[in-house]
Amino acid sequence: MPEHYSSIGEAVGVAMQHNIRLAHRSAAPGSDKPLQVRHLPSASADPYSVRRMISRLHEDATPDQVAGIIAEVNGALVGALPEVTELVASAADWTRARLDFDDPSHNPTFETWTRLAAAYGMLQDVREQLEVAKDGVAACPAERTDPRHHRMVNVLRSRELLDAVLGAEVAPAPSAAQNFGSDRQRAARASSPHAATSPSTGSPPAPAAPPPAPRPVGRPR
């Protein structure tokens, strides 16, 4: 199985370290661990991934679509937020198994457990807030209001999807009968090395007009 990296920056850093080791031969030949980079799929590859839901949550989405996305991310069984909540809870339980109260004046492990427990409680509160906000989103007007009202509240989103940063094809808004096979084909075309050189489907450009023929020079009289 390939080794997964949390970001492209981390993978690039590992690749640079690998090249430095090869240049300096700090280790015996053949002892380097094979370099394996995490594959980051397009946002359209998994319709229920968080990246895909973010790409679907655009300003022209209907209130029901946005409420449905919040319900997906907050779903009790397979929602991303409950999974993150359980992950933090598992980290807190892992720390709990390493608590030692023999020295009451020095217990950094307990401080770590306290932080994880606090994060777990915050995530629980977020889940409750989203459950209430879902109904409010569904009741929002479908049409956007005058932009002068938007300036009264700050924008919260602070980062773009990797697809948008790298200039990959943006996934379209889903319809009621979405064809996920077409999404896979679209993602394959966007990631193809020949995508930039594919011919356009439009009409070919008109040929340039030939330059005018030079006028003959007459004999002087």
Side-chain angles (χ1 to χ4, degrees), residues 120-139:
Y120 173 77
M122 292 177 184
L123 288 171
Q124 291 279 43
D125 183 62
V126 170
R127 292 179 60 185
E128 294 176 1
Q129 295 290 344
L130 288 182
E131 187 64 30
V132 177
K134 177 186 65 176
D135 298 332
V137 166

Side-chain angles (χ1 to χ4, degrees), residues 187-201:
R189 288 196 301 269
S191 60
S192 172
H194 304 292
T197 60
S198 59
S200 173
T201 56

Side-chain angles (χ1 to χ4, degrees), residues 24-221:
H24 293 276
R25 292 295 181 183
S26 58
S31 62
D32 284 341
K33 185 178 180 181
L35 181 62
Q36 296 172 320
V37 181
R38 179 184 182 187
H39 173 64
L40 297 175
S42 171
S44 61
D46 182 1
Y48 295 104
S49 68
V50 174
R51 296 172 63 239
R52 171 62 165 158
M53 286 188 280
I54 293 175
S55 67
R56 289 160 50 195
L57 210 161
H58 49 85
E59 289 188 352
D60 292 325
T62 66
D64 289 340
Q65 288 174 335
V66 178
I69 293 170
I70 294 178
E72 290 173 10
V73 78
N74 208 31
L77 294 178
V78 295
L81 184 55
E83 289 181 354
V84 172
T85 304
E86 289 303 307
L87 184 148
V88 174
S90 298
D93 291 342
W94 180 92
T95 310
R96 174 179 175 271
R98 285 148 181 83
L99 291 175
D100 186 354
F101 293 102
D102 290 339
D103 186 357
S105 61
H106 180 73
N107 203 329
T109 304
F110 179 67
E111 295 177 1
T112 302
W113 178 89
T114 302
R115 292 182 181 276
L116 289 171
Y120 173 77
M122 292 177 184
L123 288 171
Q124 291 279 43
D125 183 62
V126 170
R127 292 179 60 185
E128 294 176 1
Q129 295 290 344
L130 288 182
E131 187 64 30
V132 177
K134 177 186 65 176
D135 298 332
V137 166
C140 285
E143 298 79 13
R144 282 186 281 184
T145 55
D146 193 306
R148 64 186 176 86
H149 301 294
H150 309 165
R151 292 190 291 268
M152 303 295 292
V153 180
N154 293 331
V155 175
L156 298 182
R157 186 172 174 183
S158 60
R159 52 183 296 187
E160 296 292 336
L161 286 175
L162 185 63
D163 287 354
V165 174
L166 297 181
E169 183 176 350
V170 179
S175 60
Q178 184 176 12
N179 187 347
F180 294 118
S182 299
D183 282 349
R184 287 193 295 269
Q185 295 175 1
R186 189 178 298 108
R189 288 196 301 269
S191 60
S192 172
H194 304 292
T197 60
S198 59
S200 173
T201 56
S203 58
R215 299 178 59 184
V217 180
R219 292 183 299 173
R221 297 181 179 177

